[in-house]
Amino acid sequence: MKMERNLRHFVVLLQMPTTMLKPAFQIEVSNISDEEMLQSRLLVEVNGSSCTYVLLNQRNMSPLVVKYFQLELPKGVSLTETLQDIVSSDNLLQRPVKETILIYNFPESSLIPEAVFAMDTNREIIDTLHGNLQKGLILTEKIPWWELFNVYRISPDLHQLLQHNFASGMYWHYYSLLLKSYKMFDSAEREDCIKVIFYSDKMVALIVREGKVQLVQTFSYHDSKDVAYYLLNCCHQIGLNQDSVRVLVGGLIDRQSALSEELHKYFLQVQFEGIDESIRVTDELKELPLHYFSSLLKMAVCA
């Protein structure tokens, strides 16, 4: 009997997470009250290599929390299991909020003009463009102000996990909210613009010519030369002038980095994304470069 109890104890220990994943960076206001939580919108972005969430108090437009987790999945551990560990071990994610927005940032997406959209062709379009080895869940949403639908594929296990933990959450694809927030905060009439959000191993590029969307795509990269090649090739294919096009950058890029130098070498109109004036810039926010998370905060406002 003693050996059996010890064996059961050993099995339980094996099932427990061996380490608690810590945020790569975080900003958090101390002593957030229940009242403040219930005034706030929680926005969670999930992709294959990171998870970020922001908590925005909608009453005074003040960000209370920004947390970024870099996901380096051990062999045999799935993305869903890692995210479950994050959600279950983060006390803030257990507390009630006013509303929750969940963003899927995965590249298996297609933007379809409203005039030719047909619900019964969604899976066929995704399978044709992105392959059919993964039999995922197909979701669809209309993008406000753009006369476009976004059709995309995600993991059913991931969707079930988020539904279980955030039962009243609303779901968007990253591309959809990127377009919506661009229209609300960044666009100018008939402008040529490349908006790029950087991650540690990839970038999401939104390309607009004369005020019309030409491309939204995720590119994996290894170094700054890859980034320059992709963006210059996009300019060539779409017919943008690299000297006059506005290049708006955000995410994980430092102003003094080799990546920044490479962008300035080939483009004359490079700007780092700022926080919109509608969002209150707190002392806590100033601890990190604002362009690291400005795009997500804009999404939290307009979602």
Side-chain angles (χ1 to χ4, degrees):
M1 291 294 294
K2 183 177 180 181
M3 181 179 294
E4 184 179 345
R5 286 196 299 269
N6 289 341
L7 181 59
R8 286 201 298 266
H9 180 65
F10 179 65
V11 171
V12 170
L13 287 176
L14 283 179
Q15 292 173 343
M16 294 174 62
T18 54
T19 59
M20 183 183 298
L21 189 62
K22 301 292 185 182
F25 67 75
Q26 71 180 76
I27 298 168
E28 183 174 338
V29 175
S30 58
N31 302 318
I32 301 173
S33 68
D34 291 341
E35 181 182 5
E36 289 176 305
M37 294 292 292
L38 292 174
Q39 295 170 355
S40 298
R41 171 180 282 173
L42 172 67
L43 182 143
V44 182
E45 180 212 344
V46 177
N47 62 69
S49 59
S50 67
C51 172
T52 309
Y53 78 80
V54 301
L55 186 67
L56 178 70
N57 187 322
Q58 292 183 290
R59 175 165 293 184
N60 59 17
M61 298 305 290
S62 173
L64 302 178
V65 180
V66 178
K67 286 189 182 182
Y68 169 82
F69 297 86
Q70 182 67 38
L71 307 180
E72 297 179 359
L73 305 181
K75 186 176 181 180
V77 177
S78 69
L79 173 63
T80 302
E81 291 170 319
T82 302
L83 289 173
Q84 179 60 63
D85 289 345
I86 291 174
V87 172
S88 60
S89 62
D90 192 311
N91 292 331
L92 276 171
L93 294 178
Q94 309 302 318
R95 297 173 64 182
V97 294
K98 180 181 178 182
E99 59 186 16
T100 301
I101 309 295
L102 301 154
I103 302 178
Y104 292 118
N105 188 354
F106 296 93
E108 296 175 331
S109 162
S110 179
L111 302 180
I112 303 173
E114 184 177 1
V116 298
F117 173 78
M119 186 70 74
D120 58 356
T121 63
N122 288 348
R123 181 171 294 278
E124 181 182 355
I125 289 172
I126 293 298
D127 287 350
T128 300
L129 293 176
H130 299 285
N132 59 5
L133 292 179
Q134 303 295 327
K135 301 298 183 182
L137 177 68
I138 303 295
L139 298 181
T140 305
E141 60 209 19
K142 189 176 187 302
I143 305 174
W145 309 323
W146 287 101
E147 297 182 350
L148 291 170
F149 279 86
N150 189 352
V151 179
Y152 56 99
R153 182 169 63 197
I154 59 168
S155 159
D157 291 341
L158 175 59
H159 192 58
Q160 184 177 11
L161 168 72
L162 295 181
Q163 284 184 315
H164 175 74
N165 286 281
F166 305 101
S168 60
M170 296 175 284
Y171 299 88
W172 285 92
H173 192 274
Y174 187 89
Y175 294 177
S176 302
L177 284 188
L178 182 63
L179 282 164
K180 187 178 180 183
S181 62
Y182 174 83
K183 178 72 80 172
M184 186 170 181
F185 296 109
D186 303 317
S187 66
E189 188 175 358
R190 298 186 64 82
E191 179 192 40
D192 294 345
C193 181
I194 301 174
K195 181 170 182 177
V196 191
I197 308 300
F198 287 97
Y199 295 80
S200 61
D201 59 348
K202 62 179 174 288
M203 63 179 180
V204 178
L206 161 62
I207 302 180
V208 176
R209 181 184 180 188
E210 296 183 352
K212 296 181 179 179
V213 179
Q214 303 297 311
L215 180 72
V216 186
Q217 187 170 330
T218 299
F219 298 89
S220 298
Y221 69 88
H222 297 289
D223 56 32
S224 59
K225 296 188 185 306
D226 290 341
V227 171
Y229 170 79
Y230 288 131
L231 296 182
L232 289 171
N233 187 50
C234 287
C235 285
H236 175 72
Q237 296 291 334
I238 295 172
L240 298 178
N241 186 327
Q242 67 193 69
D243 293 336
S244 60
V245 64
R246 181 166 68 113
V247 179
L248 185 61
V249 300
L252 301 182
I253 174 175
D254 291 325
R255 291 178 182 270
Q256 307 304 320
S257 63
L259 179 53
S260 178
E261 291 179 7
E262 195 78 6
L263 289 175
H264 282 88
K265 183 190 301 183
Y266 293 105
F267 298 96
L268 298 183
Q269 309 296 329
V270 178
Q271 301 174 13
F272 280 78
E273 187 176 17
I275 297 291
D276 187 75
E277 61 184 12
S278 64
I279 301 171
R280 181 183 166 205
V281 180
T282 61
D283 291 339
E284 289 83 3
L285 273 184
K286 295 175 184 177
E287 294 177 8
L288 289 170
L290 297 181
H291 66 268
Y292 276 16
F293 42 80
S294 55
S295 184
L296 273 184
L297 286 175
K298 290 175 181 177
M299 292 182 186
V301 172
C302 76

